């Protein structure tokens, strides 16, 4: 069961891109690779948690991947994330099972008579070579119908 939470506003710096929704699974890894490259070029060995925001616009998916930065840094696109209400599920394990989490959140939206309002987001809390150790908070922005 998902929790209904309030997320505060925040400003992140990272990568913003749009990819065809039908090719998102092939193209999203490149966006994360660009983020990793930016962090390396800036000499940042830890900045977290890393947050990925996803929003579908017609046939495209807008992707924003960012981290909290103490100030704007060269190459990073700064963006604001509005405060919102969201359904939340904490996911443990491999990221290839995340589609099941989104299915569960979508079912909760319908069961609670809510409406999706914008972003889905993944906040990566712990990532390991052993994917069974991964922890990712998954949120779906919602409003009362």
């Amino acid at each position: 069961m998902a929790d209904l939470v309030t997320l505060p506003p925040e400003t992140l710096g990272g990568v913003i891109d749009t990819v065809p929704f039908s090719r998102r699974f092939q193209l999203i890894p490149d966006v994360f690779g660009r983020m990793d490259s930016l962090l390396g070029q800036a000499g940042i060995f830890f900045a977290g948690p890393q947050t990925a925001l996803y929003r579908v616009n017609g046939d495209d998916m807008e992707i924003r991947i960012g981290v909290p930065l103490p100030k704007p840094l060269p190459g990073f696109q700064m963006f604001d994330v509005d405060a919102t209400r969201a359904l939340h599920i904490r996911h443990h394990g491999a990221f290839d099972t995340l589609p099941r989490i989104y299915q569960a959140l979508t079912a909760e939206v319908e069961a609670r008579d809510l409406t999706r309002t914008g972003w889905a987001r993944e906040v990566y809390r712990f990532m390991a070579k052993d994917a069974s150790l991964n922890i990712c908070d998954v949120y779906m922005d919602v409003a009362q119908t």
Side-chain angles (χ1 to χ4, degrees):
M1 177 153 218
D3 299 313
L4 187 59
V5 300
T6 300
L7 298 172
E10 62 181 325
T11 299
L12 302 175
V15 176
I16 299 173
D17 203 348
T18 300
V19 299
F21 183 76
S22 62
R23 297 195 52 221
R24 66 195 180 282
F25 294 119
Q26 293 87 17
L27 299 175
I28 288 174
D30 175 63
V31 181
F32 276 91
R34 291 183 1 234
M35 180 67 184
D36 291 343
S37 178
L38 278 176
L39 291 168
Q41 291 171 20
I44 298 171
F45 65 90
F46 176 79
Q50 194 171 84
T51 299
L53 297 112
Y54 304 98
R55 178 171 56 189
V56 177
N57 295 314
D59 293 334
D60 293 326
M61 176 180 275
E62 183 179 354
I63 303 166
R64 296 178 178 206
I65 302 171
V67 294
L69 294 176
K71 64 180 184 175
L73 295 173
F76 288 82
Q77 294 177 269
M78 301 302 292
F79 56 93
D80 293 322
V81 182
D82 294 332
T84 190
R85 301 274 291 159
L87 285 176
H88 165 254
I89 294 177
R90 177 162 279 179
H91 172 70
H92 297 262
F95 296 137
D96 63 356
T97 60
L98 283 172
R100 286 186 274 170
I101 299 300
Y102 284 102
Q103 290 169 348
L105 287 171
T106 299
E108 288 266 346
V109 167
E110 294 171 11
R112 295 184 188 202
D113 197 30
L114 299 169
T115 302
R116 287 192 66 180
T117 59
W119 295 101
R121 69 191 76 206
E122 298 170 6
V123 180
Y124 305 101
R125 302 293 179 185
F126 191 85
M127 294 184 287
K129 288 182 181 179
D130 177 355
S132 69
L133 299 174
N134 292 344
I135 301 172
C136 179
D137 287 321
V138 182
Y139 300 90
M140 186 176 285
D141 294 0
V142 296
Q144 291 297 139
T145 301

